[in-house]
């Protein structure tokens, strides 16, 4: 198989000017990957800065409530900055340090990857520029606020639809003129090689821990592992721990949005609206029209709202190793409520997609079986979206009152 390909998916479709940079990056990554000291340095760093190993929590109340399989939750929400994204950005940060570069750039849609990258840059003393569509800057003010306070420069991108893909183009443009000093921190298991493989490698820490933890706590392997799928990094992270264990079924859950039939979703693997394509530096299944135009996507979870998906997951899907499902916005809000009420745990809207499918399937399983849900992040960040969706009257009053206070101040 060609390097950087997973079946027919992946590759590195990059402009000629970036060739030397990718040679350098591949070399640094290959050296790091074969150097046990690098991995140890990474694990030590994550233990001291980001609460690793994250716990595997037995959700006893939720399991009793549903009947059937025992549900365990892998707590990536307890990472620094509140999600699994820390694993990837801190790993790349250590690599940048090795390469001797002094500046990092990233693009971000919802802002979570921007906040994680700005945090990493502050910790390692790198200069940091974050590209963000102007539309997203307006929608995600709290994250922009934190990025700036963490010392990053946030550049609103005014091209095109002023969202994620326009920010991505702008980040590549920056990189072409700054590659000697600058590393582009891609946020998920997508983009040109080596990013899918490299990001999956950093995220594999989730699965390595989860496998050990379930064997220790439950005495045997789980029957199924569930994870939400945006770009696919948290899913790949936990799945890698169980890829060789044929008895463990791996289930990826995509954003079903307002329902697959409405077209307002971000389901690439189920729903039949995606086709093979090459864009953003790699080949994968993109949601596109018959003419090959990228379709607009929708999800209540900003982190799942993306037209492409990891080439590694497309390949695993084709091979039948990963089963894909989708969860609607409505089902996500219900699963979130159930998790809060029974376990006192607030999953991110993204992570709640994994909960939906697990909650659906657990009651049909046996008590001596276990399942794991990868809880990719915590839901505190979603307070505006969740309060709005639950149509909470006292929250509305609070926002209006706050706005009045600000108006009176100026
Ligand atoms: C960004 C994000 C995701 C989606 O990214 P993947 O690469 O698919 O993991 C999922 N959950 C949370 C909490 C996120 O912040």
């Amino acid at each position: 198989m060609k390097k950087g390909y997973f079946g027919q998916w992946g590759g590195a479709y990059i402009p000629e000017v970036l060739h030397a940079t990718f040679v350098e990056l591949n070399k640094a990554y290959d050296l790091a990957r074969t150097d046990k000291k690098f991995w140890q340095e990474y694990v030590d760093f994550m233990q001291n800065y980001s609460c690793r190993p994250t716990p595997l929590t037995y959700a006893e109340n939720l399991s009793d409530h549903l009947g059937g399989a025992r549900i365990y939750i892998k707590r990536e929400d307890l990472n620094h900055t509140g999600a699994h994204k820390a694993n990837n950005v801190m790993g790349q940060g250590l690599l940048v340090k090795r390469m001797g570069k002094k500046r990092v750039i990233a693009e971000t849609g919802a802002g979570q990857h921007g906040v994680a990258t700005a945090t990493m840059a502050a910790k390692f003393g790198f200069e940091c520029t974050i590209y963000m569509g102007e539309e997203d800057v307006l929608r995600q003010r709290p994250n922009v606020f934190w990025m700036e306070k963490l010392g990053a420069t946030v550049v609103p991108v005014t091209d095109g639809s002023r969202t994620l893909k326009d920010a991505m183009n702008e980040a590549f443009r920056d990189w072409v003129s700054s590659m000697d000093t600058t590393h582009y921190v891609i946020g998920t298991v997508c983009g040109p090689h080596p990013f899918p493989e490299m990001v999956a490698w950093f995220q594999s820490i989730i699965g390595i821990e989860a496998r050990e933890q379930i064997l220790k706590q439950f005495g045997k392997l789980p029957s199924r592992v569930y994870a939400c799928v945006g770009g696919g990094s948290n899913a790949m992270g936990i799945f890698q721990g169980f890829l060789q264990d044929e008895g463990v079924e791996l289930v990826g859950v995509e954003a079903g949005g307002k329902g697959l039939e409405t077209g307002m979703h971000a389901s690439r693997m189920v729903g039949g609206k995606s086709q093979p394509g090459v864009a953003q530096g790699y080949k994968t299944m993109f949601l596109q029209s018959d003419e090959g135009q990228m379709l607009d996507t929708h999800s209540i979870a900003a982190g799942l709202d993306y037209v492409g998906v990891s080439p590694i997951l497309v390949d695993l899907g084709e091979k039948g190793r990963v089963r894909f499902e989708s969860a609607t916005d409505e089902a996500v809000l219900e699963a979130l409520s159930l998790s809060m009420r029974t376990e006192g745990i607030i999953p991110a809207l993204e992570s709640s997609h994994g909960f939906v499918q697990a909650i659906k399937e657990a009651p049909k399983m046996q008590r001596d079986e276990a399942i794991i849900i990868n809880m990719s992040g915590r839901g505190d960040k979603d307070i505006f979206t969740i309060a709005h969706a639950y149509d909470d009257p006292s929250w509305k009053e609070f926002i209006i009152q706050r706005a009045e206070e600000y108006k009176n101040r100026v």
Side-chain angles (χ1 to χ4, degrees), residues 202-407:
F202 288 127
Q203 294 291 2
S204 70
I205 194 166
I206 304 173
I208 293 170
E209 289 175 6
R211 191 177 193 281
E212 262 180 46
Q213 288 167 322
I214 193 78
L215 286 175
K216 195 158 161 212
Q217 291 183 39
F218 182 63
K220 58 181 184 179
L221 289 169
S223 299
R224 290 175 199 166
V225 177
Y226 297 84
C228 65
V229 180
S233 68
N234 85 86
M236 277 309 300
I238 195 157
F239 288 172
Q240 281 171 101
F242 304 93
L243 268 184
Q244 313 305 326
D245 304 310
E246 276 176 25
V248 181
E249 192 181 12
L250 307 173
V251 186
V253 186
E254 299 187 287
K258 296 194 190 299
L260 295 184
E261 68 289 349
T262 65
M264 295 181 73
H265 61 80
S267 286
R268 292 76 26 113
M269 302 301 293
V270 286
K273 274 289 171 198
S274 62
Q275 297 171 47
V278 174
Q280 300 161 3
Y282 72 115
K283 181 178 180 185
T284 196
M285 294 295 279
F286 287 101
L287 280 166
Q288 46 190 316
S289 67
D290 292 338
E291 293 79 37
Q293 285 290 100
M294 296 290 165
L295 295 174
D296 285 336
T297 52
H298 164 83
S299 173
I300 193 170
L304 304 186
D305 201 348
Y306 176 51
V307 283
V309 62
S310 176
I312 313 178
L313 283 173
V314 178
D315 182 49
L316 289 171
E318 275 185 343
K319 289 180 172 140
R321 185 64 189 94
V322 176
R323 164 161 64 95
F324 289 92
E325 302 286 351
S326 77
T328 62
D329 294 351
E330 202 185 341
V332 158
L333 288 166
E334 254 172 60
L336 179 60
S337 286
L338 188 61
S339 167
M340 290 194 283
R341 295 282 174 93
T342 57
E343 292 295 333
I345 283 176
I346 311 176
L349 284 166
E350 289 84 0
S351 320
S352 300
H353 285 69
F355 280 71
V356 169
Q357 197 61 28
I359 287 168
K360 209 180 278 178
E361 296 180 13
K364 299 172 200 150
M365 299 171 73
Q366 301 303 314
R367 198 58 175 169
D368 65 350
E369 289 182 277
I371 61 177
I372 300 178
I373 307 171
N374 196 31
M375 180 167 156
S376 53
R378 61 173 189 234
D380 315 39
K381 69 173 176 67
D382 299 320
I383 188 164
F384 286 91
T385 315
I386 296 172
H388 180 76
Y390 287 149
D391 206 11
D392 188 282
S394 46
W395 175 261
K396 208 184 280 176
E397 211 169 285
F398 162 75
I399 295 286
I400 291 167
Q401 198 186 331
R402 269 297 170 89
E404 288 299 326
E405 273 170 37
Y406 268 88
K407 263 193 229 154

Side-chain angles (χ1 to χ4, degrees), residues 25-72:
L25 177 60
N26 273 296
K27 207 167 122 194
Y29 164 58
D30 281 339
L31 281 173
R33 198 167 42 98
T34 49
D35 179 357
K36 284 209 175 66
K37 275 194 296 208
F38 181 85
W39 185 259
Q40 196 52 52
E41 185 189 350
Y42 167 64
V43 172
D44 289 346
F45 183 87
M46 293 308 284
Q47 286 182 353
N48 292 305
Y49 193 61
S50 193
C51 305
R52 300 220 74 92
T54 59
L56 181 74
T57 302
Y58 174 40
E60 189 174 4
N61 302 333
L62 182 60
S63 305
D64 287 348
H65 174 82
L66 294 170
R70 287 167 197 261
I71 300 172
Y72 289 81

Side-chain angles (χ1 to χ4, degrees), residues 106-109 128-141 144-145 147-148 152-171 173-174:
E107 98 288 335
T108 191
C128 179
T129 302
I130 305 292
Y131 290 94
M132 200 166 174
E134 195 178 40
E135 198 62 37
D136 291 329
V137 170
L138 291 174
R139 284 190 293 204
Q140 307 291 343
R141 178 49 56 185
V144 174
F145 175 83
M147 283 181 246
E148 290 177 344
T153 305
V154 179
V155 180
V157 176
T158 53
D159 287 352
S161 58
R162 295 170 293 156
T163 55
L164 182 64
K165 76 175 165 16
D166 312 292
M168 207 174 271
N169 292 338
E170 206 54 40
R173 225 166 281 156
D174 178 319

